[in-house]
């Protein structure tokens, strides 16, 4: 990671806040011990993205023309991001008729993180576990109305207990303030807007190796705020006649949800997004589950956020740290990829559908995520009791 020493304005108070300086050193040194291979994933311990699907689902280019052909390619990519659509399509076509990504996808399964819990814990022995959790589809179910993606009281209690045992961060595409209102746990770290808006606990963290008086703050895309606001207003106007379309301002990115839009009208959503983004070459388009997301072109994502938070906790150049990242979305792949490349910690994909992924294990739904987190808490308590005997 590159050095950054930036003064970031707080848009609400007008006060300039210092951004935590990132060291140029790697968080995970080359000599770090490689975790064991996850069963069923081959020699690398993770399943690599297939080249053909990667081409289909690559971040969509927004510059230049393309007309109907480009819109059709966008719609194809929107279909590819929809697990329910993929299931129905693959069931109705023969193998010869299916697209390459459909054929490959049916062949991939990941080992269960619950079934292999003991193996994961054995790999973490002697290391500090650090937890990173996506929100939508991981801590809360995917719902039609993104404003009603509430986590259960039981899940909140479980996450609170988790944070007493391990440093814990929520890493979401949502606006940081919005995801905080859903979670309502002040002791956590929050990384909103795909990691472009990071803030640590106001009172600091008991896990931080280098204690400081100021909370961790990082906003590497603050200069884009006026542009994002403009794009949000334009997209609201452009999509207001498309039933079911919802535009969400996530501060450093704009999300256009098409979960409730009839598939035959997806091209309208794609056309609206394309017409707006053609005017903003400094913004780019990426995809999640039934959502198109517009964000700055800076090299920052959930993987960078994971690295920043580990450094902020004092775990740069440490061999005794074990990050676990749990997420369900394509945007979480950036974090999975970081863990895979650093050969330390594991990514856990939340999905009932087999996918190409850089994760090592899987959980099917938020209820299984809660079970896994509770087992972590129980394991930590038992290990503490044994250490005192």
């Amino acid at each position: 990671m590159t050095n950054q020493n930036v003064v970031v304005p707080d848009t609400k108070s007008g006060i300039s806040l210092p951004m935590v300086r990132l060291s140029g050193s790697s968080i995970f040194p080359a000599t770090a011990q490689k975790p064991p291979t996850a069963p069923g994933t081959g020699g690398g311990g993770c399943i690599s993205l297939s080249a053909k699907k990667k081409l289909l689902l690559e971040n969509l280019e927004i510059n230049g023309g393309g007309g109907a052909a480009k819109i059709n390619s966008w719609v194809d990519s929107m279909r590819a991001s929809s697990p329910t659509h993929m299931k129905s399509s693959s069931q109705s076509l023969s193998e010869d008729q299916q697209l390459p990504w459909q054929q490959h996808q049916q062949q991939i399964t990941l080992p269960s993180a619950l079934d292999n819990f003991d193996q994961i814990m054995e790999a973490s022995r002697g290391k500090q576990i650090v937890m990173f959790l996506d929100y939508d589809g991981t801590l809360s179910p995917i719902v039609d109305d993104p404003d009603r993606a509430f986590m259960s009281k039981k899940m909140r209690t479980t996450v609170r207990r988790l944070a007493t045992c391990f440093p814990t961060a929520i890493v979401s595409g949502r606006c940081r303030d919005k995801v905080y209102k859903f979670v309502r746990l002040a002791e956590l770290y929050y990384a909103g807007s795909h990691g472009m808006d990071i803030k640590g606990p106001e009172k600091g963290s008991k896990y931080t190796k280098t204690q400081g008086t100021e909370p961790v703050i990082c906003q590497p895309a603050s200069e884009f705020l006026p542009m994002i606001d403009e794009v949000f207003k334009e997209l609201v106007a452009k999509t207001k006649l498309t039933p079911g379309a919802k535009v969400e301002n996530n501060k450093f990115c704009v999300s256009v949800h098409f979960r409730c839009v009839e598939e035959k009208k997806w091209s309208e959503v794609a056309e609206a997004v394309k017409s707006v983004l053609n005017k903003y070459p400094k913004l780019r388009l990426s995809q999640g589950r039934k959502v198109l997301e517009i964000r700055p072109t800076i090299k920052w994502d959930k993987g960078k956020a994971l690295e920043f938070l580990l450094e902020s906790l004092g775990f740069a150049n440490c061999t005794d740290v074990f990050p676990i990242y749990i997420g369900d979305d394509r945007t979480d792949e950036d974090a999975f990829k970081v863990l895979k490349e650093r050969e330390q910690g594991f990514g856990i994909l939340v999905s009932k559908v087999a996918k190409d992924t850089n994760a090592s294990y899987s959980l099917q739904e938020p209820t299984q995520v809660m079970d896994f987190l509770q087992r972590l808490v129980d394991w930590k308590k038992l290990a503490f009791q044994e250490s005192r005997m």
Side-chain angles (χ1 to χ4, degrees):
M1 295 179 66
T2 58
N3 288 335
Q4 297 188 43
N5 193 12
V6 183
V7 175
V8 182
D10 186 325
T11 56
K12 292 183 178 179
S13 64
I15 300 174
S16 294
L17 298 171
M19 181 185 292
V20 173
R21 183 176 178 83
L22 302 181
S23 68
S25 58
S26 170
I27 293 173
F28 305 106
T31 57
Q33 182 180 356
K34 183 176 179 180
T37 299
T41 60
C46 304
I47 299 174
S48 61
L49 292 164
S50 71
K52 291 183 179 180
K53 185 180 176 184
K54 195 173 183 180
L55 287 174
L56 179 62
L57 296 180
E58 196 68 36
N59 289 337
L60 303 176
E61 296 293 335
I62 64 173
N63 296 320
K70 176 162 284 191
I71 293 300
N72 288 338
S73 70
W74 283 28
V75 173
D76 286 342
S77 190
M78 290 160 74
R79 292 192 182 104
S81 71
S82 167
T84 53
H85 185 279
M86 289 189 290
K87 183 177 180 180
S88 61
S89 297
S90 60
Q91 287 176 341
S92 61
L93 299 176
S94 67
E95 185 172 344
D96 291 338
Q97 292 173 313
Q98 292 170 19
L99 294 172
W101 62 264
Q102 289 173 312
Q103 296 174 11
H104 189 66
Q105 188 202 40
Q106 292 178 326
Q107 300 169 6
I108 295 174
T109 56
L110 285 173
S112 165
L114 286 172
D115 293 345
N116 293 274
F117 182 83
D118 292 340
Q119 178 177 345
I120 296 172
M121 292 301 96
E122 181 61 31
S124 74
R125 186 177 296 276
K127 301 180 176 68
Q128 171 65 64
I129 293 175
V130 182
M131 296 300 303
F132 298 89
L133 307 169
D134 183 25
Y135 183 75
D136 294 278
T138 300
L139 299 181
S140 72
I142 296 294
V143 295
D144 290 341
D145 184 354
D147 290 333
R148 300 192 62 80
F150 304 116
M151 67 191 302
S152 67
K153 292 181 179 179
K154 191 173 181 180
M155 178 67 86
R156 181 175 294 103
T157 299
T158 302
V159 175
R160 180 184 289 112
R161 291 171 178 166
L162 182 77
T164 66
C165 299
F166 313 103
T168 302
I170 308 295
V171 186
S172 173
R174 298 267 197 164
C175 166
R176 176 173 56 81
D177 290 340
K178 185 174 292 185
V179 76
Y180 178 81
K181 289 178 181 177
F182 280 132
V183 179
R184 303 198 308 274
L185 295 175
E187 59 269 37
L188 307 185
Y189 289 80
Y190 290 87
S193 302
H194 301 291
M196 288 182 283
D197 188 8
I198 301 175
K199 188 173 182 181
E202 288 288 348
K203 297 181 180 180
S205 171
K206 65 180 181 180
Y207 301 104
T208 305
K209 289 188 175 183
T210 55
Q211 295 296 329
T213 56
E214 296 293 329
V216 173
I217 293 176
C218 178
Q219 295 180 330
S222 56
E223 65 183 280
F224 291 90
L225 284 173
M227 189 181 299
I228 291 294
D229 287 339
E230 290 177 11
V231 169
F232 169 71
K233 292 174 183 176
E234 290 187 42
L235 284 171
V236 169
K238 288 276 188 179
T239 60
K240 65 181 180 181
L241 296 180
T242 303
K246 183 178 180 63
V247 184
E248 185 178 16
N249 188 337
N250 284 313
K251 191 171 182 178
F252 291 98
C253 61
V254 177
S255 302
V256 182
H257 301 272
F258 56 91
R259 181 170 298 277
C260 296
V261 177
E262 290 185 51
E263 188 174 331
K264 63 183 180 181
K265 292 186 176 292
W266 285 4
S267 60
E268 292 183 13
V269 177
E271 180 61 51
V273 172
K274 177 178 178 293
S275 66
V276 172
L277 285 186
N278 277 339
K279 298 184 291 183
Y280 296 91
K282 292 185 177 181
L283 301 179
R284 67 183 177 94
L285 179 69
S286 63
Q287 273 184 256
R289 292 174 62 178
K290 292 191 176 179
V291 61
L292 298 175
E293 297 184 307
I294 300 91
R295 45 176 155 161
T297 55
I298 65 171
K299 294 182 178 180
W300 197 268
D301 51 40
K302 290 183 176 182
K304 295 291 186 183
L306 181 151
E307 291 182 311
F308 174 86
L309 285 167
L310 284 174
E311 289 206 18
S312 299
L313 286 163
F315 290 113
N317 301 318
C318 289
T319 59
D320 61 346
V321 62
F322 194 85
I324 298 177
Y325 189 107
I326 307 178
D328 74 308
D329 199 75
R330 285 190 60 231
T331 58
D332 297 309
E333 289 297 328
D334 295 316
F336 295 155
K337 185 178 180 182
V338 165
L339 297 183
K340 176 184 176 183
E341 290 177 347
R342 303 298 185 178
E343 297 183 337
Q344 197 166 17
F346 286 126
I348 300 176
L349 175 69
V350 183
S351 178
K352 292 182 178 180
V353 180
K355 295 181 180 179
D356 284 346
T357 181
N358 285 300
S360 301
Y361 296 93
S362 69
L363 295 165
Q364 291 197 0
E365 56 191 0
T367 55
Q368 285 198 353
V369 172
M370 184 168 62
D371 291 343
F372 180 83
L373 299 182
Q374 184 58 53
R375 286 189 68 179
L376 274 173
V377 172
D378 295 341
W379 174 85
K380 179 66 174 181
K381 289 181 178 178
L382 180 60
F384 177 75
Q385 292 172 358
E386 291 178 347
S387 68
R388 298 185 59 138
M389 293 176 63

